[in-house]
């Protein structure tokens, strides 16, 4: 066993003595040692209950004959970090999470791992570490929050962000917003809707590194506790069979996950995280691959925020496994021979899957959209690509031409939107918000929600070299690469330049001749760094483009 390096033989008597200082018995030390990497804390609603998940996983490991050993890592709540300095640290936390789990797994030679995340950067960070370490491992998330109910409608976190815009537009009272605030987030769990956390938890299941149900079983359901116990048992099975993460996360498995991404209409942040995770598995996933998969996989689930159905309803309809079963009928088909964390192939798993509600999970013959949920746009404004959640764009905004309203920070743009200075037809541009320029590629949920709340969602586009929350809807195009801080074309835009957004044909252009472009490029000067000390300053110096997953060089 791998753990023998720290516990077996005469020379490891001091090591065993330290285990015994914590109360471990000889019997426990002799068994396989299973690390339980978790992100339980008291600042993230998706993580507040992970102590219960940890205990359930421990029970499963013990049932199957192992010794569970828990340790923690950090996490950032994007909602609480939104629209202030904290958001500059959110994406950057992914690398710290990956590094911390890797450090713990190498310093203490566990025989296997169970990873327990639940929110936006914690899931991809732990997956990156899992693939680096490449010891038998399984992930089990804390599960999604239930949707709230207010005035007879389903509500969620983004409803509150949009409510701020509605108050500014005088279509909602402050008292109603307070009532909505109380109702929108009724339970623990990752924020209700196909936002980034739930997107990544669903894709973990689709990739095969989480058990069936990982992405959709509600956080407050007893089934989530049972799933955690099964995850503890599953890692022991993977250890016995010597099935490792890179045996599961093959190129074919990533293609399956991307197909599910398109079918569900997942967050645009998956376009950052999936290539970064794939890189740790030694799999190359160029940005253009997302368009290739999107053209072959229809969008068959209309989930919050782009649609009306909740994660709970998706779970009741059969969950990710049922979606994958339906995708067997698509032009893409899925790779059924890939191995999964159950110890069986995907094809074997899917024999048990059924679509329980055809209103929630449409057939591939009757999709919501013929193409998948995400599109990558190219053009002279985004030579290396930009990303849009096309399944959440109103039909009238799939093609849009309008004047650029240029802002060099999110705060300036937000103030202009809420002050009523943005007009129908405008294209709001928020730049110097990329991985380097942000730094940390901050999410733009506040301005996008304000646009919706102000009633401009079907008449105004928003473009940024930063990124959007998975809760974003509308013609919101992010990850513009190269970013402004590196002198990309978005840095050369001027107020009033005409921008052409053509999502259908995957184009993002602005009207400018080559001579004027060269003149602007020559006069451009890189801005001063916004943060000059600490972790994020180092991150800004080392981070790559959003088009390559914002990985550290």
């Amino acid at each position: 066993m791998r753990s023998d390096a720290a516990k077996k033989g005469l020379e490891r008597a001091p090591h065993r003595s330290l285990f015994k200082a914590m109360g471990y018995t000889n019997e426990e030390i002799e068994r396989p040692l299973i690390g339980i990497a978790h992100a339980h804390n008291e600042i993230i609603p998706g993580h507040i209950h992970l102590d219960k998940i940890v205990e359930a996983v421990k029970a499963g490991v013990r049932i199957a004959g192992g010794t569970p050993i828990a340790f923690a890592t950090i996490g950032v709540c994007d909602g609480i970090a939104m629209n202030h300095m904290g958001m500059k640290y959110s994406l950057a936390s992914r690398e710290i999470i990956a590094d911390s789990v890797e450090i713990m797994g190498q310093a203490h030679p566990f025989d296997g791992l169970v990873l327990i995340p639940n929110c936006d950067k914690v899931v991809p960070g732990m997956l990156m570490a899992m693939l680096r370490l490449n010891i038998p491992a399984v992930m089990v998330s804390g599960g999604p929050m239930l949707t709230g109910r207010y005035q007879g409608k389903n509500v969620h976190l983004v409803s509150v962000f949009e409510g701020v815009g509605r108050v500014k537009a005088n279509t909602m009272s402050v008292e109603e917003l307070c009532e909505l605030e109380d109702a929108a987030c009724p339970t623990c769990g990752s924020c209700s809707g196909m936002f980034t956390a739930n997107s990544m938890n669903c894709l973990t299941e689709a990739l095969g590194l989480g058990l069936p149900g990982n992405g959709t079983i509600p956080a407050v359901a007893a089934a989530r506790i049972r799933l955690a116990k099964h995850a503890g048992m599953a890692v022991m099975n993977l250890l016995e069979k010597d099935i490792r993460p890179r045996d599961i996360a093959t190129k074919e498995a990533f293609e399956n996950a991307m197909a599910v991404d398109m079918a569900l209409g997942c967050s645009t942040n998956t376009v950052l995280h999936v290539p970064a995770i794939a890189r740790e598995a030694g799999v190359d996933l160029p940005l253009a691959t997302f368009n290739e998969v999107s053209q072959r996989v229809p969008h068959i689930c209309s989930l919050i925020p782009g649609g009306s159905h909740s994660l709970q309803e998706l779970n009741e309809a059969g969950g990710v496994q049922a979606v994958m079963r339906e995708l067997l009928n698509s032009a893409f088909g899925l790779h059924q021979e890939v191995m999964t964390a159950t110890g069986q192939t995907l094809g074997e798993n899917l024999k048990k899957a059924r679509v329980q509600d055809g209103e929630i999970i449409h057939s591939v013959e009757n999709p919501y959209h013929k193409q998948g949920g995400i599109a990558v746009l190219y053009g002279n404004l985004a030579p290396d690509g930009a990303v849009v959640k096309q399944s959440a764009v109103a039909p009238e905004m799939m093609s849009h031409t309008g004047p650029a309203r240029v802002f060099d920070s999110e705060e300036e743009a937000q103030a202009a939107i809420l002050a009523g200075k943005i007009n129908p037809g405008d294209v709001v541009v928020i730049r110097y918000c990329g991985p380097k320029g942000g730094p940390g590629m901050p999410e733009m949920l506040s301005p996008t929600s304000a646009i919706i709340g102000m009633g401009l969602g079907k008449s105004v586009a928003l473009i940024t070299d930063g990124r959007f929350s998975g809760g974003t809807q509308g013609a919101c195009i992010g990850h513009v690469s190269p970013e402004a801080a590196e002198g990309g074309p978005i840095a050369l835009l001027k107020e009033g330049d005409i921008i052409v957004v053509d999502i259908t044909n995957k184009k993002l252009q602005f009207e400018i001749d080559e001579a004027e472009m060269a003149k602007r490029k020559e006069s451009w000067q890189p801005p001063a760094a916004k943060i000059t000390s600490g972790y994020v300053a180092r991150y800004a110096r080392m981070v790559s483009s959003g088009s390559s997953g914002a990985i550290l060089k």
Side-chain angles (χ1 to χ4, degrees), residues 71-74 94-106 129 132:
F71 62 91
T73 187
I74 64 167
R94 185 187 72 183
E95 314 309 312
I96 293 288
I97 292 160
D99 290 349
S100 67
V101 175
E102 177 194 1
I103 288 166
M104 291 296 287
Q106 294 288 21
R132 283 182 201 170

Side-chain angles (χ1 to χ4, degrees), residues 507-545:
K507 297 291 185 183
L508 183 61
Q509 303 272 143
F510 72 117
E511 296 179 357
I512 189 172
D513 59 44
E514 292 184 10
E516 176 63 16
M517 178 82 89
K519 180 180 176 182
R520 294 186 189 182
K521 181 71 174 176
E522 187 176 346
S523 63
W524 177 80
Q525 294 292 326
K530 296 175 183 175
I531 298 177
T532 57
S533 64
Y535 170 62
V536 170
R538 298 197 304 275
Y539 176 89
R541 291 194 294 269
M542 299 169 65
V543 71
S544 71
S545 167

Side-chain angles (χ1 to χ4, degrees), residues 1-6 19 33-38 69-73 96-115 125-126 128-137 244:
M1 290 189 292
R2 186 172 183 264
S3 61
D4 286 349
F19 275 98
L33 303 184
I34 305 300
I36 314 294
H38 67 88
I69 302 175
F71 62 91
T73 187
I96 293 288
I97 292 160
D99 290 349
S100 67
V101 175
E102 177 194 1
I103 288 166
M104 291 296 287
Q106 294 288 21
H108 314 97
F110 298 114
D111 298 299
L113 282 175
V114 180
L115 301 107
M126 285 191 174
M128 290 164 69
M130 180 198 290
L131 289 159
R132 283 182 201 170
L133 291 165
N134 200 35
I135 61 176
R244 299 171 182 246

Side-chain angles (χ1 to χ4, degrees), residues 252-277:
E252 291 75 17
F254 276 100
E255 290 176 350
N256 285 347
M258 293 168 75
V260 171
D261 190 345
M262 299 304 164
L264 293 176
C266 289
S267 164
T268 52
N269 283 314
T270 61
V271 180
L272 278 177
H273 299 317
V274 172
I277 296 162

Side-chain angles (χ1 to χ4, degrees), residues 194 203 206 254-268 270-271 274 287-303 323 327 332 367-376 387-391 506:
M194 193 50 74
L203 295 192
F254 276 100
E255 290 176 350
N256 285 347
M258 293 168 75
V260 171
D261 190 345
M262 299 304 164
L264 293 176
C266 289
S267 164
T268 52
T270 61
V271 180
V274 172
L287 197 60
T289 309
F290 283 86
N291 276 348
E292 294 168 10
V293 176
S294 179
Q295 288 169 359
R296 297 172 60 196
V297 178
H299 175 226
I300 60 174
C301 295
S302 184
L303 300 164
V323 171
L327 289 181
F332 184 80
Y368 288 96
H369 302 96
K370 292 182 179 180
Q371 291 192 0
I374 290 175
V376 180
V387 182
V388 64
K389 189 171 183 175
Q390 62 180 348
S391 60
K506 314 294 190 289

Side-chain angles (χ1 to χ4, degrees), residues 206 252-253 255-260 296-297 320-338 346 350:
E252 291 75 17
E255 290 176 350
N256 285 347
M258 293 168 75
V260 171
R296 297 172 60 196
V297 178
V320 171
Q321 299 296 301
V323 171
M324 296 183 85
R325 177 66 181 258
E326 181 57 32
L327 289 181
L328 296 179
N329 302 318
S330 72
F332 184 80
L334 297 184
H335 304 285
Q336 297 185 64
E337 75 286 354
V338 296
L346 176 66
L350 293 185

Side-chain angles (χ1 to χ4, degrees), residues 407 410-422:
F407 302 93
E410 178 186 359
E411 292 78 12
E412 294 171 13
Q414 176 80 344
I417 294 165
L418 293 178
K421 295 180 180 179
I422 301 302

